[in-house]
Amino acid sequence: MADHVRWGILGAAKFAREHMGPAIHAARGGRLAALATSGADKAAPFVDRVPGLVVHDSYEALLADPGIDAVYVPLPNHLHVAWTRKALEAGKHVLCEKPIAMAAEEIDTLIATRDATGLLAAEAYMIVHHPQWQKAKALYESGVIGDLVQVRAAFSYDNSADPGNIRNSADSGGGAIPDIGVYIFGGTRFVTGQEPEEILSAQVRRENGVDVWTQVTATFPGFAYSGMVSMRMAPWQEVVFHGTTGLIRLTAPFNPKVFGEARVELLGTDGVHHESVWRFPGDNHYVLQVEAFNRSVLIGAAYPCPLEFSRGTQAMIDMVWAKENAPG
């Protein structure tokens, strides 16, 4: 391998074109070297951004390219496991969009393939790389809010006007929980280091087999959890960690700079009210994610979001589906 990671992208997805392609191109320690797509028109925006980009006409051709070290997989959800395994077996490191699988046991197969190949495979779970989440975790671990009593998380947007969107397709593994539930569940797990004990309720509204609104309540060791996601509501996102002596609030926890400025607010109530605010106006969590991946590949640095963490989030999603389908 050269002194940088040579990246390829499987498919010219909109998200890859608008976010991850530019992030791979901008991140230190790597460069975007190839794209797999059969449509020249779909390749054009990538080539415009990265002159000299190699364009393969199939995913298999890109995986066979000896000039590629790592691949980014932005394919529809139901294809993630298969193509992550194919890429690993072809000798490529893999960063796959979330959710990396549709059930926790599928991630076990990826962990086994990762370990057998000795390559890095990870879910593109970008929020843990953002300093707002790292600050929230540090504040929580400092004990500044006392004992944690409740976590409230919400993430919503409205794509009802786009019925052809793969998020609105059950066949593609769509739905609000697979798309954004990973954030309200995984973010809670990341900050607290805790796993859910029980899903108390799972209210789910579906359209054409896809969950478009879900409200979940759960118990974690020592605290209660309430989370909502929707693809049929006005855009909103917020996470609050509420303790006995204060609370931590993240104002744009999932789409900073798109939804709003990333801020971490600390409100104290231990006798005297006080408030502190940390702002992160310029950080790009997609770039930070790729840079962390590059460091892991190049120098063996520990990757902040291993597959084991992703499995824990998917296990919570599986618990929600089980509660939804439980009799009574």
Side-chain angles (χ1 to χ4, degrees):
M1 185 184 298
D3 58 356
H4 60 274
V5 178
R6 298 165 297 182
W7 283 87
I9 300 177
L10 294 187
K14 178 182 178 183
F15 189 79
R17 181 178 72 247
E18 295 181 352
H19 295 286
M20 283 301 296
I24 292 170
H25 186 57
R28 292 170 293 185
R31 68 178 179 88
L32 180 56
L35 170 72
T37 179
S38 58
D41 56 331
K42 294 181 179 180
F46 293 86
V47 175
D48 289 345
R49 181 180 291 274
V50 186
L53 185 74
V54 175
V55 179
H56 294 286
D57 62 4
S58 71
Y59 303 155
E60 291 84 358
L62 189 147
L63 294 184
D65 186 342
I68 297 301
D69 307 306
V71 297
Y72 167 62
V73 180
L75 302 173
N77 295 345
H78 69 298
L79 300 176
H80 288 175
V81 170
W83 282 100
T84 295
R85 291 189 65 183
K86 288 179 182 181
L88 287 170
E89 290 166 354
K92 313 301 184 187
H93 303 280
V94 186
L95 182 64
C96 179
E97 257 314 314
K98 52 78 197 163
I100 197 168
M102 304 306 296
E105 58 265 25
E106 293 182 328
I107 301 180
D108 293 334
T109 68
L110 297 181
I111 291 172
T113 307
R114 176 202 66 187
D115 293 346
T117 60
L119 298 165
L120 176 59
E123 183 179 54
Y125 195 70
M126 73 290 185
I127 67 171
V128 301
H129 303 276
H130 198 289
Q132 68 170 326
W133 280 95
Q134 295 164 1
K135 182 65 176 179
K137 183 175 178 66
L139 287 171
Y140 168 77
E141 292 177 343
S142 76
V144 69
I145 63 170
D147 296 329
L148 182 60
V149 177
Q150 184 177 27
V151 176
R152 301 186 303 276
F155 192 2
S156 63
Y157 62 89
D158 185 2
N159 69 359
S160 58
D162 186 13
N165 190 298
I166 60 172
R167 295 169 182 83
N168 288 317
S169 169
D171 292 340
S172 299
I177 286 286
D179 186 40
I180 54 180
V182 292
Y183 296 129
I184 67 166
F185 296 162
T188 299
R189 295 177 54 252
F190 174 72
V191 168
T192 66
Q194 301 288 342
E195 302 295 341
E197 296 175 318
E198 181 182 3
I199 304 299
L200 300 177
S201 66
Q203 298 173 270
V204 182
R205 181 163 65 86
R206 293 181 178 272
E207 294 178 7
N208 300 316
V210 169
D211 62 295
V212 297
W213 175 89
T214 299
Q215 174 74 40
V216 172
T217 60
T219 57
F220 282 72
F223 68 92
Y225 172 86
S226 174
M228 182 279 295
V229 292
S230 178
M231 303 192 301
R232 296 295 186 269
M233 295 172 65
W236 181 252
Q237 51 187 265
E238 180 183 52
V239 180
V240 177
F241 299 87
H242 200 154
T244 53
T245 61
L247 63 85
I248 301 164
R249 175 175 178 259
L250 286 77
T251 61
F254 310 121
N255 294 124
K257 298 200 295 184
V258 176
F259 178 76
E261 183 185 56
R263 299 195 309 273
V264 175
E265 301 173 352
L266 173 65
L267 284 74
T269 59
D270 51 345
V272 178
H273 178 80
H274 56 87
E275 180 176 351
S276 300
V277 179
W278 293 266
R279 291 180 164 83
F280 306 93
D283 295 282
N284 184 313
H285 51 193
Y286 302 117
V287 173
L288 294 172
Q289 173 180 244
V290 176
E291 290 181 344
F293 195 99
N294 290 342
R295 286 193 298 272
S296 184
V297 169
L298 293 171
I299 63 174
Y303 191 68
C305 188
L307 288 178
E308 287 79 0
F309 177 85
S310 298
R311 190 194 190 285
T313 298
Q314 185 60 52
M316 185 171 178
I317 293 174
D318 294 349
M319 291 170 67
V320 171
W321 298 145
K323 185 66 176 181
E324 179 198 8
N325 295 315

